[in-house]
């Protein structure tokens, strides 16, 4: 039995299915989680299907998360989408079900779950949900609203088909989703729109960033700057790609200070592999898109030096 068929068999077996995704969700986390939930609801209307985790205001146009009681987990199948490692699962009750399935597209550093289906070559976890649908040929119908959510997930994780992980297969899946009744262009525009405070912060970032000799760029965003621009940590996502637009930049990082003084590191690259560096700072992720953490600012200079060395050692092409 293929892994996809096995996943469908488990879905058929359980009356209650609870779907989780990662903390600090992005459109792919929401899209894969809620898209899968909508598919299961449509094909198995008698099942109770829940999508759980913190509700994030900026993503409510994709879907809303649900509050459930601990008891609901008793006889449930739990599926976690788009979440590489267990500490990042939003809502720690994900272990309380009868059976656990991991569906993810990050490097499989933490292979948790009774079934662990991971494809690090997929552009997004939303693409994998469509791979599941296609693999079980005709057994799962996709409602239009699920197509909309999955399309948003693919658009989010590929930066509107710009990033490396976009494959011909990704485009075929996106095309398959666009056959459904939703406005794809609206989603593209939505994911490209920024609030005015973010636009003003973008100007600050371009004014104040540093580009090292070897093409590593960085900016530190301390609390006072975030407060001045009235920006919350969750709103920094549109800032992240900005430094990469600069021709000379090969890899870059944005250090966002948190309320407790610690830093969230967001790291991106056009070629040099940066996820090993992320692992050195309590993080991880994809080779060209990772995240990490620092308890305080003490190690920032050392970290920037390492990023610069990665840029210096890169001999492949970036687009400069
Ligand atoms: P972000 O900059 O938070 O959007 O993260 C970029 C990528 O790195 C995402 O694919 C995340 O899954 C991954 N990532 C971010 N933070 C961490 C972390 N603390 N541990 C492992 N992976 C992470």
């Amino acid at each position: 039995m293929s892994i996809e068929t096995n996943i469908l068999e488990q879905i058929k077996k359980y009356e209650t299915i609870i779907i989780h995704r990662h903390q600090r969700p992005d459109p792919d986390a929401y899209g894969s989680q809620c898209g899968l939930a909508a598919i299961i609801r449509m094909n198995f209307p008698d099942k109770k299907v829940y999508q759980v985790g913190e509700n994030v205001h900026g993503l409510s146009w994709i879907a809303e998360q649900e509050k459930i009681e601990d008891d609901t987990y008793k006889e449930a199948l739990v599926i976690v989408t788009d979440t590489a490692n267990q500490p990042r699962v939003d809502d720690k009750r994900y272990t309380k079900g009868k059976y656990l399935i991991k569906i993810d597209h990050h490097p499989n550093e933490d292979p948790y779950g009774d079934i662990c289906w991971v494809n690090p070559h997929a552009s997004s976890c939303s693409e994998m949900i469509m791979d599941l649908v296609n693999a079980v040929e005709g057994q799962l119908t996709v409602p239009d609203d699920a197509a909309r959510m999955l399309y948003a997930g693919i658009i989010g994780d590929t930066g509107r088909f710009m990033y490396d992980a976009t494959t011909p297969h990704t485009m075929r899946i996106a095309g398959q989703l666009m056959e459904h009744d939703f406005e794809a262009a609206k989603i593209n525009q939505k994911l490209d729109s920024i609030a005015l405070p973010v636009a003003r912060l973008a100007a600050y970032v371009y004014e104040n960033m540093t580009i090292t000799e070897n093409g590593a760029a960085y900016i530190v965003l301390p609390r006072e700057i975030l407060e001045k621009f009235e920006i919350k940590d969750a709103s920094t996502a549109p800032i992240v790609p900005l430094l990469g637009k600069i021709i000379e930049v090969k890899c870059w990082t944005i250090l966002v200070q948190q309320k407790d003084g610690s830093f969230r590191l967001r790291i991106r690259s056009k070629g040099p592999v940066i996820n090993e560096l992320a692992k050195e700072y309590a993080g991880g992720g994809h080779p060209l898109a990772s995240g990490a953490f620092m308890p305080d600012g003490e190690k920032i200079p050392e970290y920037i030096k390492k990023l610069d060395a990665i840029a210096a050692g890169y001999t492949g092409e970036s687009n400069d």
Side-chain angles (χ1 to χ4, degrees), residues 256-319:
V256 187
Q257 193 170 33
Q258 308 294 299
K259 280 192 181 136
D260 63 1
S262 67
F263 286 87
R264 173 187 190 183
L265 316 184
R266 311 189 78 169
I267 322 163
R268 300 292 189 271
S269 173
K270 293 184 214 163
V273 171
I274 42 80
N275 56 348
E276 292 302 322
L277 176 65
K279 281 187 218 160
E280 287 183 39
Y281 295 93
H286 305 277
L288 305 185
S290 288
F293 167 83
M294 265 182 205
D296 53 49
E298 199 187 312
K299 290 196 168 149
I300 293 176
E302 163 204 285
Y303 163 69
I304 299 301
K305 252 195 196 154
K306 286 183 182 171
L307 190 66
D308 181 56
I310 289 172
Y314 181 65
T315 49
E317 267 179 45
S318 58
N319 53 357

Side-chain angles (χ1 to χ4, degrees), residues 121-124 127 154-155 157-172 174:
H121 304 293
S123 70
S124 51
E127 180 180 310
I154 293 175
I155 290 297
D157 256 33
T158 62
R160 282 186 297 153
F161 308 119
M162 183 168 67
Y163 304 141
D164 259 36
T166 311
T167 62
H169 179 69
T170 311
M171 303 307 279
R172 281 191 286 273

Side-chain angles (χ1 to χ4, degrees), residues 227-239:
E227 278 155 22
K228 179 178 166 201
F229 286 94
E230 296 176 353
I231 295 272
K232 291 205 178 106
D233 174 75
S235 311
T236 57
I239 298 295

Side-chain angles (χ1 to χ4, degrees), residues 45-61:
D46 294 335
K47 292 188 191 296
K48 294 190 195 93
V49 184
Y50 303 99
Q51 51 211 32
V52 301
E54 185 200 350
N55 256 310
V56 172
H57 176 67
L59 294 174
S60 61
W61 61 275

Side-chain angles (χ1 to χ4, degrees), residues 69-132:
E69 298 297 326
D70 293 356
D71 271 5
T72 318
Y73 282 86
K74 259 191 198 152
E75 298 297 322
L77 165 66
V78 177
I79 303 176
V80 181
T81 69
D82 198 34
T83 312
N85 27 34
Q86 296 177 74
R88 293 199 81 221
V89 180
D90 193 357
D91 196 332
K92 295 304 168 215
R93 297 177 297 174
Y94 73 99
T95 54
K96 304 264 182 257
K98 268 248 139 138
Y99 198 85
L100 179 64
I101 299 178
K102 170 185 182 184
I103 302 179
D104 186 37
H105 73 121
H106 298 89
N108 198 8
E109 309 274 346
D110 180 6
Y112 61 88
D114 300 297
I115 297 178
C116 175
W117 182 39
V118 171
N119 177 9
H121 304 293
S123 70
S124 51
C125 197
S126 297
E127 180 180 310
M128 288 182 71
I129 301 303
M130 284 307 289
D131 289 337
L132 171 67

